[in-house]
Amino acid sequence: MKNKEIFSVEPGVCQLMMHILARCNRHVSRQLAPLGLTVQTARVLMHVRLARRARCREIALGCGLEAAALSHILSALLDKHLIERRRLAADGRSVEVWLSQKGEGLADRCLAIARAQDEAALAGFAAADAERLRLLLERVATNFKAERSDAKAA
């Protein structure tokens, strides 16, 4: 079933996901801009807010970011006083990231934007269909994770 208003040819699954992601990013970027945030910085803030605190590796994995990109994002968030970095007493090399009070407030606003985006994306879906879609997308994400692990092993 093709939507001729959006696609001139039948899209593949990845093409469709990239199309949806591009639209989602544009919409969310417009909402985040007045807050001085990007989609990537918002994802990091939301991840840390939901985890309460997190190590850099956990944030990178949870947000799908490379270590170098995460380092730049964390530096920017630190400069804006949105996060704190704390060394773990048990392991002086490991650092945990915590949100400042200001960071918590912005993370909560980002979570509200994300929830509204989900509601808009799933408008007209029955709850069971929305959950099925989420589970299917998790399977797709897992397939890509397995593919990346296979490439590292080769």
Side-chain angles (χ1 to χ4, degrees):
M1 183 168 98
K2 179 172 48 173
N3 184 336
K4 292 189 186 256
E5 293 176 15
I6 298 175
F7 300 104
S8 59
V9 296
E10 188 74 33
V13 172
C14 287
Q15 182 184 3
L16 186 55
M17 288 190 307
M18 287 186 289
H19 179 82
I20 293 166
L21 181 61
R23 283 181 167 214
C24 184
N25 278 337
R26 275 193 306 273
H27 181 74
V28 171
S29 291
R30 284 193 295 270
Q31 292 181 291
L32 293 173
L35 303 177
L37 299 173
T38 65
V39 171
Q40 292 82 6
T41 55
R43 285 173 41 212
V44 170
L45 287 174
M46 291 186 295
H47 181 89
V48 177
R49 179 67 167 148
L50 295 172
R52 302 276 185 228
R53 63 181 184 270
R55 293 184 184 191
C56 293
R57 178 173 161 68
E58 297 164 349
I59 298 169
L61 288 172
C63 295
L65 296 168
E66 296 294 328
L70 177 61
S71 179
H72 290 294
I73 291 168
L74 292 177
S75 291
L77 293 174
L78 194 59
D79 290 345
K80 292 180 178 185
H81 307 286
L82 299 176
I83 63 165
E84 300 171 12
R85 289 180 173 170
R86 299 179 187 168
R87 292 227 177 262
L88 294 175
D91 177 5
R93 294 178 306 160
S94 294
V95 175
E96 281 187 329
V97 176
W98 296 64
L99 294 179
S100 66
Q101 189 172 7
K102 181 179 174 183
E104 286 179 358
L106 272 178
D108 288 342
R109 291 178 72 182
C110 293
L111 286 165
I113 290 168
R115 278 189 219 96
Q117 186 74 20
D118 280 354
E119 288 175 16
L122 297 172
F125 278 67
D129 290 339
E131 179 62 12
R132 175 89 173 126
L133 176 60
R134 190 188 63 73
L135 292 171
L136 290 169
L137 289 172
E138 279 184 5
R139 282 180 53 195
V140 171
T142 300
N143 289 344
F144 279 113
K145 183 178 178 184
E147 179 182 280
R148 190 175 46 212
S149 296
D150 292 343
K152 285 182 181 179

